[in-house]
Amino acid sequence: MNKEKEKSINIYKKCLEALPMPVLLVGADEHILFMNKSYGDFLGIEPEAAIGKHVYEVIENSRTPLVLKTQKAEYADRHKYINGKVKGQEIIVHRIPIVENGKSLAAFGLLMFTSIEDLMALADKNQKINDELDYYKTKLLELQSSKYSLDSIVGSSPVMRELKDEIVKVAAVRQTVLITGESGVGKELIAHSIHHCSQRHDRMFVRVNCAAIPENLFESEFFGYVGGSFSGASKNGKIGKFELANNGTLFLDEIGEMPLFMQAKLLRVLQEKELTRVGGNKMISVDVRIIAATNRDLKKMVKEGKFREDLYYRLNILNVKAPSLREHLEDIPELVPGILEELYQENGIKKTVDPEVYTVLQQYNWPGNVRELNNILSKMYYMADGRHITVLNVPWHILQGTQGEKESISGDSMDSMVEALEQQIVLRTLKQTEQNLTKTAKILKISRPRLYRIMEKIPKEELEP
C-alpha cells in the first residue's frame, strides 16, 4: 500500500473515530475491519481486540452478514443484543452495504440510539417541539384571522338587523363580495364578520390597504417574489398576500385606489386562480375568497376610465352596503357604552354619560360616521371632569350641528346655550311624535315635569303644530 493511500485511509478512520455514535465496519468475509471507541465503550470491549474477528464472535446475533448477502440496507432497525455487557439491551441501528460492480465489499453499521429510552426521549422532545409549533401556528392564525364577529356589530335598529341578516347570507357562499359605504361606517368590521361567519373562519384573514402600497411594490406585495429578483429583495424570496391567504380570505380595502396595471393582474388571478411570483416562472394555484371595500363610486370610475369594467363586475358579484350612522341614529345609545368601555380598558377610569348627551348626539348629522363618533366620545371622555360626561363636554361644533344652525352665538353664556339647545331638541322631538308628550319624554329619557319646564320657556308660536 503506497503512502498516499495509507494516509487517506488513516484520515477516514480518524473521521469515523471522531463520530460520537458507535460505528462498525465489517468486511466481505464477515470479519470486523473497524470499530470506533464509542462502539467499544458501548460493548465494554477494546476496539483493537475486536478487529479481525468474525462479527458473530463479538455480536452473536448480528445481521451484518445478511446485509452483505442481500445487499439491502436496513435503516433504523430495532436490534436486541443476546450476549456480553449489553445483553438484553435494545438499540436502533443502520446497516448499509458497500457495493461495487455487484459485489459486496463491506457493510457499515451505525448505532443511532444506544437504547430505546434515548429514542423515546428524542421522540418526546420532538413531540414537544411539534406541540410548540402547533401552538405558535395557532397563535399566528389568531393574529391573522378575523378580529371581529357578527356580535361585534352593535345596533338593534331595523337597518342594522337587515345588515346582519345580509352578512350571514353572503358568508354562506364563496363568491366575491364588494362592500360599499362612506368613510368611517365600519366596512372592515363587516369584512371580518363575513369571514368569521363563513366556512373559512378557521383560515387566514389577510387585510391589504390598497391606498397604502407604493405603486412599484404592488405586484410583489400581492404575488410575492423569488430570491434576488430585484434590487433590495430578500435572497430567500417572499410569499405574497394571495399565498398567505390561501384557503382563507383576502380583504382588499380601498380597492378604488388600486392602479390600472395592477387591476389587470388581479383580474387574471381571480379568473385563473393561479399566480406567478415576481422573478419566477412556476405557476402557483391559490384558493382565495376576495372581499373588497371602497368609499368611492366605482361605477363612475369605470365611466371615467379609472377602474376596469371587467374587474368591477368580477368584484361586484355580491354587494353589501354599509349604512351611514345617519341611517340608524337610534343605535347611538348602544354604540356609546362600547366606546367608553374601550377607553376604560385603556385608561382605567370608568365614566358615565348623561341621558341628555345621547339626545344631542342623536340630533347631529355625523358626516364622519362611527369613526367620528368614536373620536368625539374620546375627546369628551378625556375632557370631562370627574367620572361623568355631560352636555357641557359636548364639542361646540356638535352643538351647532345639532341646532341646525351655522351662525355663531358667541356672547351667550354656556347656560343659555345649553338652554337653547334643550329647547331645539324638544321642539324637534315633539314634531317627530306629533306633539305626543309621553312619547317625547320617553325618547328624550327625561321626566314629564322636566319636559314641561323646558316647554314653558319655548315661545308659544314655536310650540304650535
Side-chain angles (χ1 to χ4, degrees):
M1 185 183 298
N2 61 48
K3 289 184 179 180
E4 284 299 318
K5 193 170 183 180
E6 188 176 345
K7 185 178 179 182
S8 295
I9 290 172
N10 286 333
I11 290 173
Y12 297 146
K13 283 183 177 180
K14 285 181 180 179
C15 289
L16 294 173
E17 190 63 62
L19 285 174
M21 292 89 75
V23 174
L24 182 71
L25 191 62
V26 177
D29 59 358
E30 301 179 1
H31 285 70
I32 295 172
L33 296 174
F34 174 81
M35 177 186 289
N36 70 353
K37 189 174 184 302
S38 292
Y39 210 140
D41 290 344
F42 174 69
L43 295 176
I45 62 175
E46 289 295 325
E48 290 80 8
I51 293 172
K53 289 184 178 180
H54 192 280
V55 69
Y56 285 151
E57 291 183 57
V58 180
I59 307 167
E60 285 186 14
N61 61 337
S62 174
R63 289 179 57 85
T64 309
L66 181 63
V67 170
L68 286 167
K69 183 178 180 181
T70 62
Q71 298 183 352
K72 289 181 180 179
E74 295 179 345
Y75 294 105
D77 184 56
R78 189 167 178 161
H79 181 84
K80 180 184 279 191
Y81 291 95
I82 61 172
N83 66 303
K85 170 192 169 185
V86 290
K87 182 178 179 180
Q89 188 163 336
E90 283 188 290
I91 53 98
I92 302 297
V93 62
H94 292 336
R95 303 184 190 93
I96 305 166
I98 301 170
V99 181
E100 187 176 72
N101 298 324
K103 292 184 178 181
S104 295
L105 300 181
F108 181 75
L110 176 66
L111 271 61
M112 296 302 297
F113 299 97
T114 55
S115 72
I116 296 300
E117 288 74 19
D118 289 344
L119 175 60
M120 297 305 292
L122 182 63
D124 185 54
K125 185 177 180 181
N126 284 340
Q127 185 58 49
K128 287 178 181 176
I129 292 171
N130 287 331
D131 289 344
E132 285 184 20
L133 284 173
D134 289 340
Y135 171 79
Y136 289 119
K137 282 178 185 176
T138 302
K139 285 298 176 187
L140 178 61
L141 258 177
E142 287 175 3
L143 288 171
Q144 288 290 344
S145 193
S146 54
K147 300 179 194 173
Y148 311 107
S149 66
L150 202 61
D151 293 334
S152 305
I153 299 178
V154 178
S156 54
S157 63
V159 169
M160 296 307 286
R161 288 201 302 269
E162 187 179 337
L163 173 65
K164 292 175 186 179
D165 289 342
E166 195 172 3
I167 287 171
V168 172
K169 289 176 184 177
V170 164
V173 296
R174 302 179 61 181
Q175 274 69 26
T176 300
V177 182
L178 179 63
I179 304 170
T180 57
E182 298 175 11
S183 180
V185 291
K187 295 186 288 295
E188 183 175 351
L189 177 60
I190 293 171
H192 278 270
S193 300
I194 292 171
H195 174 78
H196 192 270
C197 291
S198 74
Q199 292 184 345
R200 297 171 183 249
H201 63 90
D202 58 344
R203 299 304 180 100
M204 299 286 265
F205 178 90
V206 179
R207 176 186 179 272
V208 181
N209 185 346
C210 298
I213 303 175
E215 193 165 310
N216 62 322
L217 294 180
F218 256 100
E219 199 169 353
S220 60
E221 279 293 312
F222 273 81
F223 309 137
Y225 58 84
V226 297
S229 54
F230 55 87
S231 178
S234 167
K235 64 178 181 180
N236 298 318
K238 179 185 174 183
I239 68 169
K241 303 299 185 186
F242 265 93
E243 284 185 78
L244 188 61
N246 196 22
N247 298 313
T249 301
L250 181 60
F251 174 46
L252 304 179
D253 199 8
E254 300 195 51
I255 187 71
E257 308 303 321
M258 181 177 284
L260 281 168
F261 85 92
M262 192 62 198
Q263 292 177 28
K265 294 179 183 292
L266 173 62
L267 179 65
R268 194 192 71 79
V269 175
L270 294 181
Q271 290 172 337
E272 305 298 330
K273 297 187 182 341
E274 58 183 18
L275 57 87
T276 307
R277 290 186 184 180
V278 175
N281 51 27
K282 178 186 175 184
M283 298 303 295
I284 301 169
S285 297
V286 287
D287 173 19
V288 176
R289 190 202 189 160
I290 298 292
I291 299 177
T294 183
N295 60 0
R296 301 186 66 178
D297 186 344
L298 293 187
K299 234 178 203 180
K300 184 181 177 185
M301 291 180 68
V302 168
K303 290 178 183 177
E304 294 171 348
K306 296 177 182 177
F307 201 87
R308 290 182 65 103
E309 185 177 25
D310 44 9
L311 178 60
Y312 170 70
Y313 288 115
R314 187 80 189 184
L315 293 173
N316 197 31
I317 296 173
L318 298 171
N319 181 268
V320 176
K321 185 181 181 302
S324 67
L325 184 55
R326 296 182 298 281
E327 297 174 67
H328 58 111
L329 291 169
E330 60 267 46
D331 288 323
I332 286 179
E334 292 182 56
L335 290 163
V336 169
I339 298 170
L340 292 179
E341 178 62 25
E342 288 181 12
L343 290 166
Y344 165 59
Q345 294 297 332
E346 186 178 330
N347 298 279
I349 302 172
K350 206 172 197 60
K351 296 192 179 185
T352 57
V353 177
D354 270 353
E356 291 87 348
V357 173
Y358 287 120
T359 306
V360 172
L361 297 180
Q362 284 177 294
Q363 298 292 329
Y364 181 61
N365 197 41
W366 297 108
N369 294 293
V370 179
R371 185 181 293 133
E372 184 184 5
L373 175 64
N374 209 315
N375 177 268
I376 295 302
L377 256 295
S378 297
K379 288 179 181 177
M380 291 165 64
Y381 174 91
Y382 291 120
M383 296 307 294
D385 294 325
R387 296 174 180 255
H388 209 52
I389 298 172
T390 70
V391 174
L392 297 176
N393 302 123
V394 178
W396 176 236
H397 77 278
I398 300 290
L399 296 176
Q400 281 186 306
T402 300
Q403 293 182 75
E405 304 287 345
K406 294 299 177 185
E407 71 274 11
S408 170
I409 55 173
S410 60
D412 288 348
S413 68
M414 179 64 76
D415 288 341
S416 64
M417 287 189 287
V418 171
E419 188 175 288
L421 174 62
E422 283 182 333
Q423 293 172 18
Q424 289 290 334
I425 292 170
V426 166
L427 282 170
R428 287 187 181 185
T429 310
L430 282 169
K431 187 176 180 182
Q432 290 173 8
T433 63
E434 298 179 343
Q435 308 299 312
N436 187 310
L437 301 184
T438 302
K439 285 184 180 178
T440 299
K442 187 175 181 181
I443 289 173
L444 296 178
K445 296 181 176 66
I446 60 175
S447 65
R448 287 280 293 262
R450 182 175 176 185
L451 177 60
Y452 292 143
R453 286 196 298 273
I454 296 171
M455 291 175 65
E456 285 173 0
K457 298 176 183 178
I458 301 174
K460 287 184 179 180
E461 60 271 16
E462 291 186 37
L463 283 170
E464 292 176 0

